[in-house]
Amino acid sequence: MAYELYYWPEIQGRGEFVRLALEEAGAKYVDVARRPAKAGGVPAMMRLLDGVEVKHPSFAPPFLRSGKLLIGQTANILLYLGARHALAPSNEAGRLWTHQLQLTIADLVGEVHDTHHPIASSLFYDDQRAEAQRRTADFLTSRMPKYLRYFEGVLARSGGRYLAGRQLTYADLSLFQVVEGLRYAFPKATARLEKKIPRVVDLHRAVAGRPRLRAYLGSERRIAFNELGIFRHYAELDG
Ligand SMILES: N[C@@H](CCC(=O)N[C@@H](CS)C(=O)NCC(=O)O)C(=O)O
């Protein structure tokens, strides 16, 4: 039976971390909210978010239906898919380590979101531009290097090309997506930092070259980055 992924239809956002795992696994899935309303669409997603009959409702998308299970939180969905599709180590220590790395990526993603929305998600970017400028300056000089150097250090110690060693995991797919997003949002700052994180850059290249992902990235299923998503390009913030 095909998985059902529920996520906002216009953006990569956090849903993309799940899409990458599904695509790499070659799993059958339906991106429900991207379908017309008569075949599901956003109304179907809203019914699962708001429906009183839903026993385990998610607070926010993405969430995934797998048979009777309805699973929310990006890192939780990946924990589930990783075990089912050999995208995580099979031993407990390795599973927990991969989950820990994914949660760290989730923290980074939250900080990326806050560069353009430092005050409130409910306000427009234009209403918080001055604060966004200050927040982004700190993100680019302090937080982004700290996170990416951390992952560089993890790769240096992993004993393989990937974060958890020689086996590709969903955390590698997510780190690939982070590099893609940062290159889009902050091309100048990211290009400077990349000179200091060769292992992260190599991992990005290795993931991009995987046959299933290469096919996905070139397909219409891959939504282009845009200024509605998490990784947004505002030229005045980059530098
Ligand atoms: N921690 C959650 C965050 C989910 C989340 O913030 N989803 C966003 C879209 S990327 C959303 O729709 N948020 C609505 C809200 O927070 O009210 C995860 O990693 O899945």
Side-chain angles (χ1 to χ4, degrees):
M1 200 161 47
Y3 293 111
E4 290 177 5
L5 170 65
Y6 292 83
Y7 193 66
W8 303 112
E10 320 83 1
I11 60 171
Q12 293 183 11
R14 289 178 173 89
E16 196 64 13
F17 297 101
V18 181
R19 289 193 190 104
L20 289 175
L22 291 167
E23 294 282 347
E24 172 60 27
K28 280 206 176 106
Y29 72 101
V30 182
D31 213 331
V32 179
R34 290 180 73 186
R35 293 190 145 187
K38 62 179 188 309
V42 173
M45 182 169 91
M46 299 318 288
R47 279 195 294 277
L48 286 175
L49 277 175
D50 300 337
V52 285
E53 76 286 359
V54 181
K55 193 164 177 214
H56 295 151
S58 288
F59 175 73
F63 51 91
L64 183 83
R65 196 204 287 279
S66 171
K68 288 184 178 164
L69 291 175
L70 195 59
I71 309 161
Q73 289 285 355
T74 309
N76 201 32
I77 299 168
L78 291 172
L79 182 68
Y80 175 74
L81 291 176
R84 294 191 107 203
H85 296 281
L87 283 173
S90 51
N91 60 74
E92 185 180 50
R95 268 201 314 275
L96 283 172
W97 174 230
T98 306
H99 186 51
Q100 178 178 328
L101 292 168
Q102 190 64 41
L103 289 168
T104 307
I105 289 172
D107 290 343
L108 165 54
V109 169
E111 293 196 32
V112 171
H113 169 271
D114 291 349
T115 59
H116 50 80
H117 276 76
I119 301 297
S121 301
S122 55
L123 294 174
F124 291 113
Y125 166 67
D126 279 342
D127 296 327
Q128 44 195 322
R129 279 172 75 154
E131 294 89 347
Q133 206 107 40
R134 286 187 72 188
R135 182 71 186 245
T136 306
D138 179 72
F139 178 76
L140 296 183
T141 55
S142 165
R143 302 298 289 172
M144 179 168 98
K146 184 170 180 181
Y147 276 111
L148 291 188
R149 283 193 174 127
Y150 166 74
F151 289 115
E152 181 73 12
V154 170
L155 286 166
R157 270 166 275 168
S158 79
R161 190 178 197 180
Y162 299 112
L163 288 164
R166 289 201 300 239
Q167 183 199 349
L168 176 96
T169 69
Y170 59 78
D172 298 302
L173 305 177
S174 293
L175 188 55
F176 159 83
Q177 174 66 7
V178 164
V179 172
E180 286 280 288
L182 292 174
R183 282 182 181 176
Y184 172 78
F186 310 112
K188 291 185 199 155
T190 305
R192 273 198 312 276
L193 182 57
E194 281 191 28
K195 295 187 187 118
K196 297 174 188 150
I197 49 165
R199 291 178 181 84
V200 172
V201 173
D202 177 66
L203 175 121
H204 173 275
R205 195 179 307 116
V207 170
R210 295 183 72 83
R212 282 179 177 150
L213 278 197
R214 212 174 43 230
Y216 167 64
L217 296 171
S219 76
E220 89 291 341
R221 295 195 301 288
R222 170 81 164 180
I223 301 167
F225 284 109
N226 60 49
E227 280 53 65
L228 298 170
I230 293 173
F231 294 99
R232 301 188 187 190
H233 179 64
Y234 296 115
E236 70 267 27
L237 296 184
D238 188 21

